Amino acid sequence: MKILIADKFEAFGIAELKKLAEQVICEPELKDASLTERVAGLDPTILIVRSTKVNADTLKAGRNLKLVIRAGSGYDTIDVAAASQRGIKVANCPGMNAVAVAELVMGLMICLDRRIADNVADLRAHRWNKKEYSKARGLKGSTLGIVGVGRIGTEVAKRALAFDMNVLYYDIIPDLRPVDDSRCRRAELDELFRQSDIVTLHVPGTGQTRHLVNADRLASMKPHAMIINTSRPSVIDEAALIAALKEGRIRAAAVDVYENEPPADAKAIDSPLADLPNLYGTHHIGASTDQAQAAVAEETVRIVREFKNTGRVLNCVNP
């Protein structure tokens, strides 16, 4: 069995994989045509990726490719339909980064409310503006709307309740309840947008969720409301968000994902979001904690071990 890792991966995970396979090659710089060429030359049994895209050409190049593992939760960077046509299984590592993303969401909430990034930028420029930054609503008693209460949304709900916030949540699964607490209740999607002081998005990037947040839903939000997206860029209509922020129809936003997002090794980003003073952006770092990456590596090894020993694919997204 040959394994190709076309992304950064924990060293201990590579060591464990070498116990399971005859050959393990880690080449994190591979992408696009170079990945396709390498898959064709090496012909691995298993391909492991994080953010690297796996398209139909790459899948076709793997004559004996049996399994693609996304070392993370979302798998929209992999052409699952093309994999299914070729009998290639696709697996992911759901929930391993849930706490890391939830921690980022809470940090972004506080940063937006207290304008921490602007405070720091002024201080580094030797400017003192206490009067400007002494204005904040505070989170206690605010209503947080959580769209999608899978593993990440549930972890966010737990932390929001610890901050004495009230939680409204929506999920396509009608009987799903993230936390058994009287301060946490289900709401229909439009009600959630109308009633929430902060909305945070935790849904996958699919045709159903594309532009789930559109101009109408943004217009229905409170003028002081804020929105946070750490899920997928397609979930928000970016043009509508820019207009709402420029026109002051909502107070602020924070995002960790972007349309036309550059690769991890890029030196610049060309996004109109970067020019908005009431938008805070992070560099797609939601899952990037040591704890989360260690958990993802462990789960990836578990998937490979089970596949080798039994032929069964854990967390298979195209059974």
Side-chain angles (χ1 to χ4, degrees), residues 2-23:
K2 298 179 187 176
I3 299 175
L4 174 61
I5 306 171
D7 245 315
K8 291 182 179 178
F9 200 71
E10 295 292 316
F12 83 88
I14 296 174
E16 289 299 312
L17 290 172
K18 286 181 176 178
K19 298 176 184 178
L20 300 170
E22 289 76 26
Q23 192 174 7

Side-chain angles (χ1 to χ4, degrees), residues 150-195:
R151 291 175 174 90
I152 297 173
T154 296
E155 294 296 337
V156 172
K158 292 176 184 176
R159 285 154 179 78
L161 292 171
F163 273 68
D164 286 334
M165 301 177 76
N166 300 301
V167 173
L168 295 179
Y169 67 92
Y170 170 83
D171 198 280
I172 58 171
I173 302 175
D175 57 351
L176 199 60
R177 182 173 173 79
V179 181
D180 188 14
D181 191 293
S182 61
R183 297 168 295 167
C184 182
R185 73 172 180 86
R186 182 181 176 85
E188 291 305 313
L189 196 56
D190 289 335
E191 178 195 358
L192 182 148
F193 275 85
R194 289 194 304 269
Q195 298 297 325

Side-chain angles (χ1 to χ4, degrees), residues 130-312:
K130 180 178 172 66
K131 183 178 180 180
E132 172 68 18
Y133 297 127
S134 295
K135 306 167 187 174
R137 292 179 58 85
L139 299 184
K140 181 178 180 180
S142 296
T143 297
L144 174 65
I146 304 176
V147 182
V149 284
R151 291 175 174 90
I152 297 173
T154 296
E155 294 296 337
V156 172
K158 292 176 184 176
R159 285 154 179 78
L161 292 171
F163 273 68
D164 286 334
M165 301 177 76
N166 300 301
V167 173
L168 295 179
Y169 67 92
Y170 170 83
D171 198 280
I172 58 171
I173 302 175
D175 57 351
L176 199 60
R177 182 173 173 79
V179 181
D180 188 14
D181 191 293
S182 61
R183 297 168 295 167
C184 182
R185 73 172 180 86
R186 182 181 176 85
E188 291 305 313
L189 196 56
D190 289 335
E191 178 195 358
L192 182 148
F193 275 85
R194 289 194 304 269
Q195 298 297 325
S196 298
D197 300 300
I198 306 167
V199 173
T200 180
L201 308 170
H202 302 288
V203 293
T206 66
Q208 287 181 311
T209 62
R210 178 173 173 76
H211 291 182
L212 183 77
V213 182
N214 53 27
D216 289 341
R217 288 205 166 107
L218 288 167
S220 73
M221 296 176 71
K222 299 175 182 179
H224 67 258
M226 305 184 293
I227 189 165
I228 298 171
N229 185 20
T230 57
S231 58
R232 288 293 183 263
S234 61
V235 177
I236 294 185
D237 181 339
E238 196 170 275
L241 176 63
I242 291 169
L245 290 168
K246 283 184 174 179
E247 296 166 14
R249 286 187 272 117
I250 60 173
R251 176 185 170 194
V255 298
D256 188 46
V257 289
Y258 308 83
E259 289 184 5
N260 303 314
E261 186 174 306
D265 58 355
K267 301 301 181 184
I269 180 171
D270 182 17
S271 172
L273 295 176
D275 299 319
L276 299 173
N278 51 349
L279 181 134
Y280 282 8
T282 47
H283 300 223
H284 203 154
I285 58 168
S288 300
T289 66
D290 292 344
Q291 293 171 337
Q293 293 311 309
V296 166
E298 289 173 359
E299 182 70 355
T300 301
V301 172
R302 189 174 79 96
I303 294 168
V304 173
R305 183 180 295 113
E306 182 71 15
F307 178 69
K308 179 183 179 181
N309 292 339
T310 70
R312 191 164 67 99

